[in-house]
Amino acid sequence: MNSLSSISIQKGYLPGAIGRVVTLHGSYYSRHWGFGVVFEAKVARELSEFMDRYNDERDGFWTASVDGEVEGAITIDGVDADGHGAHLRWFVVSEAVQGLGVGRQLMKAAMDFCKSKGYGRVYLWTFEGLLAARSLYETVGFELVEEHRGRQWGTEVNEQRFELSRMSPIFAVGMPEPF
């Protein structure tokens, strides 16, 4: 794999996508961060619950596929967009396509959707140490607004909340190149 031309970004459910997104999360975070069953079960449960109540007018679920295999995904949960903001969740790119711009394509799809819906705020939870992801979040305009030690994923990490508001340049002029 060395080209974006063979990568397809698609919005909406694909058969097997839920399981594949759970697998990508479980495998990566176990191998690199020591996360275990608590994390994988949380991803599986919460992603399944989200997909069960998915509303295409309010929510977004995008996958990046290569030859029919899901290699990345991103989700916008808009159920509380008017309150706490739209929640960016389950953003993952397989190691097979990392560095090829797949994450940027997925992020662009999600941010374009948020902009089209007029969402005033988008937030996400992550943890300290995911440097490539943090760089992408900050390029888009997300800012770190909260951090603390926590165990929401089953392993103690420095949890971080990033937020993007309507005041960010992304909502005014769009995503910076090469988006």
Side-chain angles (χ1 to χ4, degrees):
M1 166 64 47
N2 56 17
S3 165
L4 284 177
S5 63
S6 62
I7 297 169
S8 168
I9 306 293
Q10 181 174 337
K11 183 174 188 261
Y13 171 75
L14 292 173
I18 295 169
R20 180 66 175 148
V21 170
V22 171
T23 297
L24 288 171
H25 276 83
S27 298
Y28 178 84
Y29 289 99
S30 173
R31 188 169 38 260
H32 296 283
W33 296 94
F35 287 16
V37 67
V38 171
F39 173 74
E40 190 169 343
K42 178 180 177 71
V43 172
R45 181 179 55 256
E46 292 179 5
L47 178 57
S48 295
E49 289 168 355
F50 167 78
M51 292 304 291
D52 197 39
R53 66 171 169 76
Y54 182 86
N55 177 328
D56 201 48
E57 291 301 311
R58 165 193 77 210
D59 305 315
F61 177 71
W62 295 266
T63 53
S65 299
V66 178
D67 297 328
E69 180 76 15
V70 173
E71 297 292 346
I74 195 167
T75 302
I76 295 293
D77 184 348
V79 73
D80 193 27
D82 292 335
H84 291 98
H87 191 176
L88 188 154
R89 305 185 78 183
W90 305 297
F91 181 38
V92 66
V93 175
S94 77
E95 292 178 271
V97 299
Q98 286 178 0
L100 298 178
V102 175
R104 288 181 175 273
Q105 287 186 337
L106 288 166
M107 184 65 71
K108 181 179 185 333
M111 295 300 97
D112 286 350
F113 175 79
C114 289
K115 186 175 179 180
S116 76
K117 294 299 177 186
Y119 292 156
R121 179 181 14 222
V122 182
Y123 72 96
L124 64 95
W125 280 100
T126 188
F127 61 92
E128 186 175 34
L130 298 172
L131 301 179
R134 181 176 180 158
S135 177
L136 179 56
Y137 301 145
E138 290 175 337
T139 297
V140 170
F142 281 91
E143 296 179 346
L144 179 63
V145 296
E146 178 183 344
E147 62 185 324
H148 60 268
R149 297 299 290 173
R151 298 186 60 86
Q152 73 169 306
W153 297 296
T155 299
E156 187 170 328
V157 293
N158 193 32
E159 297 176 359
Q160 299 176 319
R161 178 183 163 107
F162 283 80
E163 193 171 289
L164 176 68
S165 74
R166 189 184 311 251
M167 300 307 291
S168 172
I170 181 145
F171 284 105
V173 297
M175 293 185 68
E177 292 300 325
F179 291 93

